[in-house]
Amino acid sequence: MDDEMLKDFVVEALELASNVEEHLLTLERHPDDLEILNAVFRAFHTIKGGAGFVNLPAMVSACHLTENLFDALRTGKAPVTPLAIEAALQASGFVADQLNELSNGAAPDSLASMPSDLEGILTQAIEGKGEAPVAAAAPAAAPALAAAPAGSAEANGASVMKDGQLDWESMYQAVTGTATGAPATSAPAATAVSEVPAAAPVAEAGGEAKPAAAAPAQQQNRRASDNAKEESIRIDAGKLDALLEVAGESVQAANQAAVLLEKLQQFKFEGTAGALMSTLAETLGRASRYSSELQRATLSTRMQPVGRLFQKFPRLVRELAKDLGKDVDLVITGAETEVDRVVVDSLYDPLVHMLRNSLDHGIEVDRAAAGKPSKSTISLHAWQAGSSVMIEVFDDGKGMDPDMLRNKALAKGLITEHQALTTDEALQLVFLPGFSTKEVASSVSGRGVGMDVVKTAVEKHRGTIRIDSTIGKGTKFSIRLPIELSIIPTMLVRCAGAPLALPMAVVERVVELPETFDEVGGAPVLRDQGRPLPVHSLAGVLGYEPGNERVGVVMAVPHPYILGVESVEGTADLVIKPLTAIHTNGITGTARSAEGELVLVVGLSFLLDGCNDTERSAVAQV
């Protein structure tokens, strides 16, 4: 079997399995939705076809039984009961687990067989109205699929390939010998019925199915599917990363050329030389525009909707809520918001920890005693804010008590008595490694790990996370991440002779620093727009020798302050290369300026935290 063919099947089937899970959770709330019943039926039918061709008998058996279940559900032969939903969720989980194993490199013949308890619960759901014959057909059908000769697929090679890609529906028909428009000679009656598309009427028990009448609809659906495939192509992520690297370097080269041209234009050119300089300026301007457009276009290919990630959470919340004995509804909005694929891939674990925290710590066990509805709500919301994407997780639970958090941290020796004095600082204590409010560890939480991992994962991608909570009302976790990981707008400054870049996301404005400062508690402050703001030396907090700092950058952060620098040299969109081999306090990456000078990029989270990773008492030198 072709490894590339198996890989294509796994990728497409995983997407179908994710959609199935989402459909099932919706069906649990709307059991009469025929459209969802048909969609789930078609998904399992399609996965079964591909699994049969690549010889995955356990997956074929599970899909076939589930397909039979949904054929019975959509025709009214079996009721949509909680047992039916649970059976389908277990089947989709089994299929997804096997697909993930294959995706991680497992050999097809190493996969486990279908568990007997899964077969049992599916059979019980199918027999919801005593329709035993439907379940009886399953054992006969599965071996036929698994043992189908490969030669039948090869003989129909022209019909199973569409524009260079496998059409799994056609492949399944080729393998099982149930071609569209022809009667199935060896497949059981239940399989023949399952070949009828959702839009066609199903034959009555004992009557004849009419595949010929369904053929035009099938052909129309297949043509629509083919058109969709023509509009997309699967590309290795490594190739996109390499393309982005080249695009970024081309922008840098164009910027350097523009700086050189500007310097050349200071000289006087006449005659032919003047005409050549004019043409050169026009050509370089065009090259610069095209290189920037290439970079943006390349970045857009890496963008993915966060819904790809969010769709994994409804079932997680459902299972955890059931384990904890709580009635919870997860509300998702903004799933269409796009962000860099690397961010999407890295957000899964942080969001899982946050949802578990809300379920275990936030949501009350006795909601009635708190004067709240028995069903609690956890909201997962995403939206775009400028060049950032915002993700919020909010629960309407009991909220966090800052005094209790402070006392817990003190008891564990994580802080001193002089730390976390404000309410906001106390709330952020949950991000400290080893912090937990649970006395006894459970299967959900209480081991002092989790939220510190969340903060680390978010900051790894130059993001920030904050907590806001009101006792009795609920808790909100807010994540801010750059939409594009590679390019950020920055303000270029100089400190102790070194070029540095500050993310524009936290820059409010630039002010002039006086010769002397007022002091509060021995630390310098400057009154700005009627508010006294502390002044920090950027060189000092980064460990440089402070120089003559006469310019202040007002930071737009939750607790505003002023950062003293020697000079501000303008703004620029920089291509950032993260620091991976070494760790430098406050610095997250490097970039090249338009003049080709190496620039160190100051971390966004470092600035948001008030440069508190270093000595907070550093002052601007005057």
Side-chain angles (χ1 to χ4, degrees), residues 2 4-13 15 53 156-172 222 225-235:
D2 190 345
E4 194 64 32
M5 192 178 296
L6 176 63
K7 184 179 178 181
D8 285 345
F9 163 71
V10 169
V11 171
E12 293 182 17
E15 185 174 347
F53 181 73
N156 293 278
S159 63
V160 299
M161 298 298 292
K162 298 289 185 181
D163 300 314
Q165 296 191 31
L166 277 173
D167 184 326
W168 295 111
E169 290 279 356
S170 301
M171 183 63 72
Y172 171 69
R222 189 158 300 142
S225 174
D226 293 343
N227 291 337
K229 289 179 181 178
E230 289 171 1
E231 295 173 1
S232 63
I233 183 171
R234 187 172 293 119
I235 300 176

Side-chain angles (χ1 to χ4, degrees), residues 433-506:
F435 184 88
S436 176
T437 57
K438 285 277 187 178
E439 298 296 340
V440 180
S442 69
S443 61
V444 179
S445 62
R447 302 186 184 277
V449 296
M451 297 313 293
D452 62 312
V453 175
V454 171
K455 193 169 193 286
T456 301
V458 170
E459 291 180 350
K460 179 182 177 183
H461 297 299
R462 298 198 303 277
T464 60
I465 181 169
R466 291 192 59 75
I467 300 177
D468 296 291
S469 187
T470 303
I471 296 178
K473 298 294 184 182
T475 301
K476 178 174 67 177
F477 292 88
S478 302
I479 295 177
R480 176 189 289 270
L481 288 159
I483 291 178
E484 298 165 348
L485 285 181
S486 302
I487 300 175
I488 62 170
T490 64
M491 172 173 283
L492 300 175
V493 301
R494 197 166 289 270
C495 290
L500 298 163
L502 307 176
M504 287 297 293
V506 290

Side-chain angles (χ1 to χ4, degrees), residues 299-452:
L299 281 168
S300 70
T301 63
R302 292 165 51 103
M303 305 297 281
Q304 291 184 343
V306 291
R308 171 177 167 266
L309 177 68
F310 286 2
Q311 67 184 6
K312 300 177 182 179
F313 296 131
R315 186 179 180 189
L316 171 75
V317 170
R318 177 183 182 273
E319 298 297 331
L320 279 176
K322 187 167 66 173
D323 291 344
L324 294 168
K326 298 178 180 180
D327 189 5
V328 182
D329 190 18
L330 178 65
V331 178
I332 294 176
T333 53
E336 71 283 354
T337 306
E338 291 192 330
V339 70
D340 192 287
R341 67 168 183 83
V342 176
V343 174
V344 172
D345 293 339
S346 65
L347 273 179
Y348 178 74
D349 285 339
L351 286 174
V352 166
H353 282 302
M354 291 160 68
L355 290 169
R356 289 164 72 97
N357 185 82
S358 293
L359 280 161
D360 195 22
H361 296 277
I363 303 301
E364 304 94 337
V365 175
D366 187 356
R367 299 270 295 179
K372 296 181 178 180
S374 59
K375 174 168 282 192
S376 59
T377 301
I378 296 179
S379 301
L380 183 56
H381 179 39
W383 74 97
Q384 184 176 336
S387 59
S388 301
V389 62
M390 300 293 299
I391 299 176
E392 284 186 355
V393 177
F394 174 78
D395 67 72
D396 62 349
K398 61 187 176 184
M400 294 184 180
D401 184 346
D403 292 330
M404 185 270 287
L405 296 176
R406 190 182 297 110
N407 293 335
K408 283 284 184 182
L410 278 169
K412 290 178 177 289
L414 299 175
I415 61 171
T416 66
E417 291 184 1
H418 304 293
Q419 291 177 288
L421 298 179
T422 69
T423 297
D424 182 68
E425 288 173 339
L427 291 175
Q428 313 312 315
L429 290 174
V430 299
F431 293 123
L432 291 176
F435 184 88
S436 176
T437 57
K438 285 277 187 178
E439 298 296 340
V440 180
S442 69
S443 61
V444 179
S445 62
R447 302 186 184 277
V449 296
M451 297 313 293
D452 62 312

